[in-house]
Amino acid sequence: MTPFEIGLTSFGVMILMVYMGFWVPFALMLSSFGGVWLIKGSPILAGKLLALAASKTISSYFFGVVPLFVLMGYIVSVSGMGRDAFDVANHLFRRLKGGLGIGTVGANAIFAAITGISIASAAVFTRIAVPEMMRHGYSARFSVGVVAGSSVLGMLIPPSLLLILYGLLTEQSVGDLFIAGVLPGLTLAFLFGGGIWLTAHLNPGALGSAQDADDIPPLTGRELAQKGLPLGLLIGLVLGGLYAGFFTPIEAGAVGCLGAILIGLARRSLSLRDFWEVLNDTGLVTASICFLIIAAQMYSRMLALSGVPAEFGSFVATADIGYWGVILAYVALVIVMGTILDSSSIMLILVPLMLPVLATMQVDLIWFGIVTIIAVEIGLLTPPFGISVFVIKSALDDPEITLGDIFRGAAPFALLMLVLLGLVLAFPQLATALI
């Protein structure tokens, strides 16, 4: 077999292992090791090459941004800021039809600007927003659908772990990616809120038997300041310092962690036990992310040795499908893979494969990153995988709400994400105007 044939075979074996239920990093590592072994003819040399790829990958200073933003997200979650974001957003939208649903979207947008973790948003607002909406007569399907749909804002509105991961994979500025995510993230929040408002007026039965929340007392000025000021300070500290050039992304993560800890201590909502659990959860998430990145870098080295990316790039360059054919085929593949894989795994598999092709086409990698994130996030809401849906199901106290109910409730929001994807494809300025 030629190296090219070995590369294609190892790719097929990796996909097969994923379908069989192998954990994605193991599938990537095993296929990489086998591929390099066959190409070089030595298991020892294959082991050394992959070990070198692992050590060089994870020793980078820039990987410090991952645990810092994960830690900040968990501190914000346990210190009650999710509830504060929900209260503030409901106060702002209480006079609108479907106001609780719109408030949930707004709360997720606020929360996303602090955490950057979709799973954290899904878990927090399942416990906060779903019972409140159902108490006011919203249907269970709509309630869980709003939380599932709006939770994806956490990966588009900066700071975002997926944007960080994409920046590390493509060697693009994480700060520029954060800036590029602002307008698409706000546009998506507007589409979600506008969709709920239109549904409440045109088809109110879809929301449930009652949509009024008149019994929720409006916040006083003092309560609004107590709940909103810490959120504003933390967002301003992290994103303001980052965009103004005072901090690098890594420094912004560290400053944000310190700010979140101080706010939690000042509010007496962060106990020593909570902090210990946060550290444990941060370690687990960081380890899993880093393990994925190491496996992906091994896989990329194997592909480079086999010549598959170069051959693939040459094929695309000489094919007649054109620029938009390549982009649309890539987007379709990402969305399809979202039905079986998590967001990080899709990016780690496909982005390294596409980079040589993009180089020949002179594609703006910042814009392409936003397109990738939106397409990947649609997969969080699509069966059978839909990780956000499974997180919501595990956090629910009501066993009568099924996975099917959550998927059906999230379907309109997945369609609105497709609308945003079309807008960003048609108008790249949505992602690049602020850079």
Side-chain angles (χ1 to χ4, degrees):
M1 293 177 69
T2 65
F4 179 74
E5 292 170 339
I6 292 171
L8 287 180
T9 302
S10 64
F11 180 79
V13 170
M14 183 270 296
I15 296 295
L16 180 63
M17 285 192 288
V18 170
Y19 270 104
M20 290 172 62
F22 276 73
W23 194 35
V24 173
F26 286 133
L28 288 168
M29 287 180 173
L30 288 173
S31 61
S32 301
F33 179 78
V36 176
W37 183 354
L38 290 173
I39 292 170
K40 294 296 183 182
S42 168
I44 297 175
L45 183 58
K48 287 182 177 180
L49 284 173
L50 296 182
L52 184 63
S55 64
K56 284 196 170 183
T57 298
I58 212 63
S59 62
S60 171
Y61 166 75
F62 296 102
F63 278 93
V65 76
V66 175
L68 289 171
F69 277 105
V70 172
L71 177 61
M72 183 173 65
Y74 276 117
I75 293 172
V76 166
S77 298
V78 302
S79 61
M81 292 189 198
R83 163 62 71 177
D84 289 348
F86 185 68
D87 291 342
V88 170
N90 278 332
H91 174 80
L92 296 175
F93 299 109
R94 69 188 186 280
R95 299 185 185 278
L96 298 177
K97 266 195 170 184
L100 274 177
I102 299 172
T104 301
V105 173
N108 261 297
I110 296 170
F111 200 66
I114 307 172
T115 60
I117 308 173
S118 292
I119 295 174
S121 298
V124 168
F125 289 103
T126 298
R127 299 187 181 97
I128 295 172
V130 171
E132 189 72 13
M133 283 192 284
M134 292 179 65
R135 185 172 70 84
H136 285 88
Y138 288 78
S139 68
R141 181 181 298 179
F142 174 78
S143 300
V144 293
V146 170
V147 172
S150 55
S151 69
V152 302
L153 293 169
M155 285 305 181
L156 193 55
I157 295 176
S160 159
L161 278 183
L162 282 189
L163 288 174
I164 293 169
L165 179 58
Y166 178 86
L168 294 171
L169 286 173
T170 58
E171 298 182 355
Q172 297 298 301
S173 166
V174 174
D176 285 349
L177 287 165
F178 280 180
I179 295 172
V182 172
L183 285 182
L186 294 177
T187 302
L188 184 60
F190 178 80
L191 287 173
F192 285 165
I196 294 170
W197 184 83
L198 283 175
T199 303
H201 282 79
L202 301 178
N203 185 22
L207 274 65
S209 59
Q211 292 86 46
D212 294 328
D214 294 333
D215 61 327
I216 299 178
L219 298 177
T220 65
R222 182 176 181 180
E223 289 173 334
L224 194 60
Q226 287 176 340
K227 293 176 179 290
L229 192 58
L231 295 169
L233 285 174
L234 193 54
I235 294 172
L237 182 66
V238 176
L239 298 185
L242 185 62
Y243 297 155
F246 296 134
F247 312 133
T248 66
I250 300 172
E251 293 165 347
V255 171
C257 285
L258 178 60
I261 292 170
L262 292 177
I263 290 172
L265 292 175
R267 292 155 48 104
R268 298 183 179 178
S269 57
L270 182 64
S271 66
L272 189 61
R273 180 178 179 182
D274 290 335
F275 190 64
W276 180 249
E277 290 180 358
V278 162
L279 290 177
N280 277 330
D281 290 341
T282 300
L284 290 171
V285 171
T286 302
S288 63
I289 291 173
C290 289
F291 200 47
L292 269 170
I293 294 171
I294 289 172
Q297 287 299 317
M298 291 179 175
Y299 167 77
S300 297
R301 293 288 182 96
M302 184 277 297
L303 284 180
L305 283 173
S306 69
V308 168
E311 291 288 337
F312 182 60
S314 298
F315 168 76
V316 171
T318 55
D320 291 331
I321 59 175
Y323 173 87
W324 284 111
V326 173
I327 298 297
L328 293 176
Y330 168 77
V331 167
L333 181 58
V334 170
I335 293 174
V336 169
M337 290 187 72
T339 63
I340 59 166
L341 292 175
D342 65 281
S343 305
S344 301
S345 300
I346 297 169
M347 289 177 59
L348 292 168
I349 291 171
L350 291 183
V351 171
L353 194 63
M354 285 295 295
L355 283 177
V357 179
L358 300 175
T360 61
M361 298 169 62
Q362 297 182 337
V363 174
D364 184 339
L365 290 181
I366 299 294
W367 168 79
F368 187 78
I370 301 302
V371 169
T372 299
I373 300 300
I374 297 170
V376 161
E377 287 297 284
I378 294 172
L380 289 182
L381 306 178
T382 53
F385 191 79
I387 188 169
S388 282
V389 173
F390 283 93
V391 169
I392 290 170
K393 176 60 178 173
S394 65
L396 279 172
D397 294 327
D398 190 347
E400 294 185 5
I401 301 176
T402 65
L403 281 172
D405 290 330
I406 305 173
F407 276 121
R408 283 189 287 271
F413 295 93
L415 291 175
L416 288 172
M417 292 189 71
L418 282 172
V419 171
L420 176 69
L421 182 58
L423 288 173
V424 174
L425 287 171
F427 306 101
Q429 296 83 359
L430 264 177
T432 59
L434 298 179
I435 300 176

